């Protein structure tokens, strides 16, 4: 079978192409090797990406050793923590589409025979996977790995600890000096933030989807095993080219259902629902939000990592990692072991020797943290097309809640209201016009959710938004409400004092207002002007779909 790179190196008409390749230092024998694109999202603003040059060097060494030629190229990346609670957060989710486009452009323009994708944080992981599925040349993911947890006075802390400290400070519970101590210890070095937040959730799911080698999600960024894994990833990329094993051979409906099962058993970030829907879209697969509830209903919650629990990614690695968790689920009949992976083995073959080394970090099925999985999709007259909540991070007393709405249209207004004591126990806070089009870009709401938790209100106050939440969020935080306010969804019609009923176990979210009253409000509602009239986000608003479809652009 002819390789794509032959289009730029075979025949007399390709002499100019070969001349340019030789300008890179390649010789004639190099031109006989497979060409492997190495997509490196290194930059100097994301802590999770600061060390990716070292990862890329190991990948390239592996490619050369296996008989290929590596071609490294860069890619953009947004640090969600640094982009949080200002204009930058509007660009985070939207950047996922640009990253997918970058992979498509570079791979097709330069006729790469294979790809190695080096992401680490948040939208970069799914963006690169989406691009690889679009191009569909042999490809694999090697992430930079998770950050170690910080430590203060013998207690492990992380980035979420800092956000919650801010919430405690603005309500007078702790001093600014105490916040400064926490901020200086919470993030001790490179890697994706140390809890089971969005980046680590997605890196773990690459192993389940078949695109990452065992250990990709959990080997710490500072561990030498991460470098060894990167070298092996480079070698394996060349082997995949000769075997003809492509991303769409691996990422199938079976693989996505497996990913949802592992997602549920770990209590991953709610953002994974958006990203798995987008991945499904790339392979032409319909993704129904109701499938999340179907799978979580029969999948036990076996891991309780931050923010819902006390463990960090380093603990999951020590306990056996994603492979050991998959072995537990497979033995319980909760996974389809026939799914293929980049190792060349099926899931069942791959996890055969895996074992759990700490039965509290990864609990057995008969001693699960919860009998059902960590995510839930709610439906009702406030969210006809669905809303998503991390059920495993909700306190028991907030699983069912009814209270008066307190409506905001910016998160800054909410944080100020918390500081002034205006958010009363029992309230249901609503932040709207934050969806894919209204935000635009579905800004994450970690600052207000952390402020609620830091103020000690997470046992009494729920938050609902058509935006989304950081994977570091805990509490009764319900996001992705669809349809969004900007398109006239029911969340646009909520007024202060309206009663809202939340029933997470019952999977329902309802606005307790008479239907005729809602019709009258809808008749007088007017769509606001888009926040951006030019530039990237202006184009994004015109093309983006709803959260229930993964906020994809088409």
């Amino acid at each position: 079978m002819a390789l794509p790179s032959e289009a730029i190196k075979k025949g007399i008409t390709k002499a100019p192409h070969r001349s340019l390749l030789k300008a890179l230092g390649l010789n004639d024998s190099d031109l006989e090797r497979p060409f492997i694109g190495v997509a490196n999202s290194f930059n100097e603003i994301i802590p999770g990406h600061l060390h990716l040059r070292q990862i890329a060097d190991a990948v390239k060494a592996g490619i050369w050793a296996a008989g290929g030629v590596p071609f490294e190229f860069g890619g953009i990346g947004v640090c969600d923590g640094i982009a949080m609670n200002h204009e930058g957060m509007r660009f985070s989710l939207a950047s996922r589409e640009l990253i997918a486009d970058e992979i498509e452009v570079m791979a097709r323009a330069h006729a790469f025979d294979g790809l190695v994708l080096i992401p680490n944080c948040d939208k970069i992981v799914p963006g690169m996977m989406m691009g690889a599925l679009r191009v569909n040349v042999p490809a694999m993911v090697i992430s930079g790995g998770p950050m170690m947890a910080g430590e203060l006075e013998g207690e492990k802390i992380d980035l979420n600890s800092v956000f919650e400290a801010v919430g405690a400070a603005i309500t007078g519970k702790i001093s600014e000096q105490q916040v400064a101590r926490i901020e200086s210890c919470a993030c001790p070095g490179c890697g994706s933030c140390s809890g089971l937040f969005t980046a680590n959730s997605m890196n773990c799911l690459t192993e389940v989807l078949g695109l990452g080698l065992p250990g990709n999600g959990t080997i710490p960024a500072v561990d030498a095993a991460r470098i060894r894994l990167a070298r092996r990833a480079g070698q394996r990329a060349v082997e995949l080219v000769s075997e003809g094993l492509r991303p769409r051979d691996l990422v199938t409906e079976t693989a996505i259902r497996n990913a949802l099962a592992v997602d549920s058993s770990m209590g991953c970030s709610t953002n994974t629902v958006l990203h798995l829907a987008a991945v499904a879209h790339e392979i032409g697969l319909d993704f129904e939000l109701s499938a999340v509830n179907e799978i979580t209903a029969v999948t036990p919650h076996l891991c309780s990592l931050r923010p819902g629990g006390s463990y960090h990614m380093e603990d999951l690695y020590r306990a056996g990692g994603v492979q050991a968790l998959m072995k537990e689920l497979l033995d319980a009949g909760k996974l389809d072991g026939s799914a293929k992976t980049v190792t060349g083995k099926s899931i069942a073959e791959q996890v055969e020797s895996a074992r759990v080394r700490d039965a509290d970090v990864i609990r057995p099925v008969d001693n699960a943290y919860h009998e059902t999985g960590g995510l839930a999709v709610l439906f009702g007259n406030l969210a006809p097309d669905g809303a998503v909540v991390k059920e495993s991070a909700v306190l028991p007393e907030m699983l069912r809640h009814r209270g008066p709405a307190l409506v905001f249209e910016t998160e800054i207004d909410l944080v100020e209201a918390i500081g002034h004591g205006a958010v009363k126990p029992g309230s249901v806070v609503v932040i709207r016009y934050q969806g894919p089009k209204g935000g635009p870009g579905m800004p994450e709401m970690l600052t207000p959710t952390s402020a609620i938790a830091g103020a000690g209100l997470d046992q009494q106050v729920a938050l609902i938004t058509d935006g989304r939440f950081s994977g570091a969020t805990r509490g009764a935080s319900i996001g992705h409400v669809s349809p969004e306010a900007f398109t006239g969804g029911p969340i646009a019609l909520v007024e202060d004092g309206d009663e809202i009923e939340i029933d997470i176990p019952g999977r329902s979210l309802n606005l307790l207002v008479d239907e005729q009253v809602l019709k009258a409000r809808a008749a007088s509602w007017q769509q606001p002007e888009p926040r951006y009239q030019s530039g990237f986000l202006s184009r994004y608003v015109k093309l983006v779909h709803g959260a229930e479809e993964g906020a994809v652009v088409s």
Side-chain angles (χ1 to χ4, degrees), residues 517-540:
V517 173
L518 292 178
K519 285 182 178 179
R521 292 181 188 177
S524 62
W525 176 83
Q526 292 185 330
Q527 186 178 63
E529 287 292 316
R531 295 180 194 268
Y532 290 82
Q533 300 297 324
S534 62
F536 168 59
L537 288 180
S538 175
R539 298 193 301 273
Y540 179 80

Side-chain angles (χ1 to χ4, degrees), residues 170-171 404-408 411-431 448 451-453 455-458 460-463:
I170 65 176
T171 55
L406 192 58
V407 182
F408 299 89
E411 60 179 293
I412 298 302
D413 289 342
L414 169 57
V415 173
E416 290 179 356
I418 293 171
H420 296 146
V423 177
K424 303 299 183 183
S427 300
V428 178
V429 173
V430 176
I431 309 180
I452 287 171
L457 292 170
D458 56 322
Q460 301 164 298
V461 172
L463 194 157

Side-chain angles (χ1 to χ4, degrees), residues 2 128 139 149 194 201 206 212 247 348-349 369 375 415 463 470 482 490 501 515:
M128 284 192 167
S194 58
S201 295
T206 62
E349 293 169 333
Y369 284 98
L375 294 179
V415 173
L463 194 157
S470 165
S482 301
E501 186 173 59
E515 186 177 345

Side-chain angles (χ1 to χ4, degrees), residues 156 218-220 311-321 324 355-362:
K156 286 186 176 182
T218 57
I219 296 173
Y311 292 115
H312 288 84
M313 294 303 295
E314 61 206 59
D315 300 307
L316 179 58
Y317 173 58
R318 172 179 53 81
R355 64 184 182 87
V356 174
R357 297 185 179 91
D358 186 323
D360 193 55
V361 178
I362 304 174

Side-chain angles (χ1 to χ4, degrees), residues 245-275:
L245 191 60
R246 301 169 184 269
R248 292 193 185 193
D249 298 326
L250 308 174
V251 182
T252 62
E253 182 176 2
T254 297
I256 289 175
R257 290 185 69 86
N258 279 346
L260 282 171
V262 171
D263 189 329
S264 297
S265 70
M266 294 179 73
C268 289
S269 164
T270 52
N271 283 318
T272 57
V273 177
L274 280 174
H275 299 323

Side-chain angles (χ1 to χ4, degrees), residues 210 236 243 245 250 337-353:
R236 185 63 190 144
E243 294 169 13
L245 191 60
L250 308 174
S338 68
K340 299 177 183 178
T341 75
V342 287
T343 63
K345 299 178 181 179
S346 67
I347 290 286
E349 293 169 333
Q350 187 172 289
V351 305
E352 187 174 2
S353 61

Side-chain angles (χ1 to χ4, degrees), residues 130-457:
M130 290 160 64
L133 286 163
R134 197 178 299 170
V135 175
N136 203 33
V137 297
M140 64 185 313
V141 176
I142 170 67
S143 76
M147 184 185 292
M148 301 297 286
E151 187 171 322
L152 180 63
E153 297 178 353
E155 181 181 348
K156 286 186 176 182
I157 60 174
D158 51 48
L159 181 64
N160 198 37
S161 307
V162 189
F163 276 95
E164 293 192 1
V166 171
I170 65 176
T171 55
K173 294 182 179 295
I174 64 174
S175 68
E176 289 190 21
Q177 289 75 20
Q178 288 173 294
V179 175
R181 292 185 65 205
I182 294 168
E183 76 179 54
S184 297
C185 301
C187 299
C190 66
S192 46
C193 295
S194 58
L196 190 61
F197 311 146
T198 303
N200 290 325
S201 295
M202 290 306 301
N203 280 322
C204 287
L205 294 186
T206 62
E207 295 186 42
V208 191
L209 291 169
L211 291 175
L213 293 172
N216 182 65
T218 57
I219 296 173
V222 296
D223 196 313
R226 174 65 53 181
I227 302 301
R228 295 194 293 272
L229 191 74
R231 184 181 296 240
R232 176 57 188 148
Q235 294 172 332
R236 185 63 190 144
V238 178
E239 296 166 2
L240 289 175
V241 172
S242 64
E243 294 169 13
L245 191 60
R246 301 169 184 269
R248 292 193 185 193
D249 298 326
L250 308 174
V251 182
T252 62
E253 182 176 2
T254 297
I256 289 175
R257 290 185 69 86
N258 279 346
L260 282 171
V262 171
D263 189 329
S264 297
S265 70
M266 294 179 73
C268 289
S269 164
T270 52
N271 283 318
T272 57
V273 177
L274 280 174
H275 299 323
L276 288 174
V279 165
H281 178 265
E282 289 293 342
I283 61 174
L285 181 68
D286 288 335
F287 185 94
E288 298 292 338
L289 281 178
S290 57
V292 176
N293 287 340
E294 292 171 12
I295 291 171
T296 57
V298 296
T299 306
H301 177 216
L302 304 182
C303 294
S304 188
L305 276 63
R306 287 276 289 165
S310 59
Y311 292 115
H312 288 84
M313 294 303 295
E314 61 206 59
D315 300 307
L316 179 58
Y317 173 58
R318 172 179 53 81
V322 177
Q323 300 297 305
L325 174 63
M326 286 198 291
K327 182 68 160 57
E328 286 291 315
L329 293 174
L330 183 67
D331 289 348
K334 306 300 183 182
L335 282 188
D336 187 331
S338 68
K340 299 177 183 178
T341 75
V342 287
T343 63
K345 299 178 181 179
S346 67
I347 290 286
E349 293 169 333
Q350 187 172 289
V351 305
E352 187 174 2
S353 61
R355 64 184 182 87
V356 174
R357 297 185 179 91
D358 186 323
D360 193 55
V361 178
I362 304 174
R363 289 193 174 182
V365 170
D366 60 5
N367 187 35
Y369 284 98
H370 302 98
E371 291 184 3
T372 57
L375 294 179
V377 178
L378 314 183
F379 296 93
N381 72 344
L382 188 52
D385 294 335
V388 184
V389 62
K390 185 189 284 194
E391 183 175 11
S392 60
V394 180
L395 292 169
E397 55 266 40
M398 289 299 295
L399 290 171
R400 291 183 173 88
H401 181 75
R402 176 173 171 171
L406 192 58
V407 182
F408 299 89
E409 296 187 4
T410 75
E411 60 179 293
I412 298 302
D413 289 342
L414 169 57
V415 173
E416 290 179 356
I418 293 171
H420 296 146
V423 177
K424 303 299 183 183
S427 300
V428 178
V429 173
V430 176
I431 309 180
R432 62 189 179 195
Y433 293 102
Q434 304 299 317
K437 291 180 179 292
M442 292 188 77
E444 288 186 345
M445 302 289 164
L446 181 55
T447 297
T449 57
S450 297
I452 287 171
L457 292 170

